[in-house]
Amino acid sequence: RESTSDVKVRATSVPQSAGESSNSNQLVQTLILGLWFALWYLFNIYFNIYNKQVLKVYPYPVTLTVFQLFIGTLLVTIMWTFNLYKRPKITSAQLAAILPMAVVHILGNLFTNMSLGKVSVSFTHTIKALEPFFSVILSAMFLGEFPTFWVITSLVPIVGGVALASATEASFNWAGFWSAMASNLGYQSRNVLSKKLMVKKEDSLDNITLFSIITIMSFILLAPAALFMEGVKFTPAYLQSTGLNINQVYTRSFLAALCFHAYQQVSYMILEKVSPVTHSVGNCVKRVVVICSSVIFFSTPVSYINSLGTSVALAGVFLYSQVKRLKPKPKTT
């Protein structure tokens, strides 16, 4: 009887301690995830601030994009060399599959920098709120995934809000507008290609590894094009000849590049921990944070109509992220 009692005591006590341990682990995981989100937002804010400061005085977005990809390539190389992250074994077939993603990744980054050089940070990110619109169009064209009625409905406030904000934007110009639109096309094409080619199914190619390879390939592809299009205009001699503060330009460019790679890396890390819908909601909140912080930092003039348009567009993005969870009911015959 004593042994039976002992067994009973143990049987009731073990689940209790296991439950406490599980709750503790869950709390730790939640706190870590919260930290990742905070870093994602923080790196993004500083990237946009430093990047805009450089582009204001240094109007060479192609060269700046190459520099950012170079810093990213350097960080990936260090990460692999010192085994901070496992270096993958890549086949030629995988490289061929990733190549189109690298091309549209270049376009997404390049056109973002071109837009930031022409208009305010807040306006660029307001236009980039149209990403769901491009995602729906491209998914229908290349994946055969047609949107539900509710998804289409959620696009209405996004398009309307962006149109309203654009009509009242103080820094509006067509070059900045179309560059931000082209950036949306580039980034969403990358996402669709990732899904279509299903490279992520390979064991050696998780999200972080895929992003690392895309970064290296993008740098290799864009560097020659930058030399051809803009020449060598990032040397101390050239910067000095234009009257720029060399240390200031280099420091801000380096910090922007560091934050650029860091926020994208953290974004991919978060994507591995949460659902795509949660990630989309986080991305929507991130855009709000970036717009507000840039308006405050750069003292960007914002009218009531402009802020209303931006708010409507971002509310539409949030609505889109929610209705994406609604799966169409299968047809019964």
Side-chain angles (χ1 to χ4, degrees):
R1 288 184 180 179
E2 290 180 2
S3 60
T4 304
S5 175
D6 185 44
V7 169
K8 287 183 179 179
V9 171
R10 288 169 187 256
T12 54
S13 62
V14 170
Q16 185 178 1
S17 61
E20 291 174 357
S21 176
S22 176
N23 290 337
S24 177
N25 289 336
Q26 192 173 10
L27 177 61
V28 170
Q29 291 298 321
T30 302
L31 290 173
I32 292 174
L33 187 61
L35 176 62
W36 287 136
F37 270 95
L39 289 174
W40 186 22
Y41 293 176
L42 191 65
F43 286 138
N44 208 289
I45 289 170
Y46 278 104
F47 161 70
N48 282 281
I49 289 174
Y50 288 130
N51 210 28
K52 180 63 177 178
Q53 287 177 330
V54 173
L55 286 165
K56 270 185 174 181
V57 297
Y58 183 79
Y60 298 103
V62 186
T63 300
L64 199 61
T65 303
V66 167
F67 180 72
Q68 290 166 359
L69 291 170
F70 166 72
I71 295 298
T73 299
L74 192 63
L75 291 172
V76 170
T77 304
I78 293 171
M79 185 172 68
W80 287 347
T81 301
F82 293 96
N83 291 320
L84 299 176
Y85 203 84
K86 185 180 178 181
R87 182 169 57 183
K89 294 179 180 179
I90 306 298
T91 64
S92 56
Q94 288 173 326
L95 288 177
I98 297 171
L99 180 61
M101 290 184 236
V103 172
V104 290
H105 181 71
I106 289 171
L107 296 177
N109 292 331
L110 179 58
F111 282 117
T112 295
N113 282 340
M114 290 174 68
S115 181
L116 286 172
K118 297 292 185 181
V119 296
S120 66
V121 174
S122 57
F123 183 54
T124 294
H125 280 272
T126 298
I127 301 301
K128 285 172 74 65
L130 281 169
E131 281 183 353
F133 175 81
F134 285 88
S135 178
V136 168
I137 298 296
L138 292 170
S139 294
M141 289 174 61
F142 297 105
L143 300 177
E145 295 180 356
F146 295 96
T148 64
F149 169 78
W150 295 111
V151 167
I152 294 174
T153 303
S154 71
L155 296 178
V156 174
I158 298 176
V159 175
V162 169
L164 188 63
S166 300
T168 56
E169 171 60 36
S171 69
F172 181 89
N173 66 65
W174 285 109
F177 175 83
W178 286 116
S179 294
M181 292 286 278
S183 170
N184 284 335
L185 182 61
Y187 279 131
Q188 292 310 307
S189 295
R190 182 192 64 184
N191 293 345
V192 169
L193 284 172
S194 298
K195 192 171 183 180
K196 184 177 177 63
L197 298 173
M198 300 173 71
V199 177
K200 293 178 185 177
K201 280 195 171 182
E202 297 290 341
D203 293 336
S204 60
L205 290 180
D206 55 72
N207 284 335
I208 296 174
T209 301
L210 179 60
F211 172 65
S212 299
I213 296 170
I214 287 175
T215 298
I216 295 171
M217 291 182 72
S218 298
F219 168 67
I220 294 171
L221 291 170
L222 188 59
L227 290 174
F228 177 77
M229 295 171 68
E230 295 180 348
V232 183
K233 290 186 170 65
F234 207 54
T235 61
Y238 178 81
L239 294 177
Q240 192 170 22
S241 70
T242 57
L244 294 175
N245 185 318
I246 299 172
N247 289 335
Q248 195 173 74
V249 171
Y250 280 162
T251 300
R252 288 176 177 174
S253 297
F254 174 74
L255 290 173
L258 204 61
C259 290
F260 170 76
H261 187 79
Y263 92 72
Q264 296 217 37
Q265 189 89 320
V266 171
S267 174
Y268 274 90
M269 292 168 70
I270 291 173
L271 191 57
E272 288 195 334
K273 298 290 185 183
V274 301
S275 69
V277 172
T278 301
H279 191 271
S280 296
V281 173
N283 196 44
C284 177
V285 175
K286 181 208 71 179
R287 208 170 295 289
V288 174
V289 171
V290 169
I291 289 173
C292 293
S293 61
S294 66
V295 166
I296 295 170
F297 185 87
F298 292 109
S299 300
T300 307
V302 181
S303 67
Y304 171 76
I305 302 293
N306 181 272
S307 58
L308 176 63
T310 301
S311 300
V312 169
L314 293 172
V317 174
F318 179 79
L319 179 63
Y320 169 83
S321 68
Q322 295 301 301
V323 299
K324 281 287 285 181
R325 293 185 298 178
L326 302 175
K327 302 291 184 182
K329 294 181 179 179
K331 295 180 179 180
T332 56
T333 55

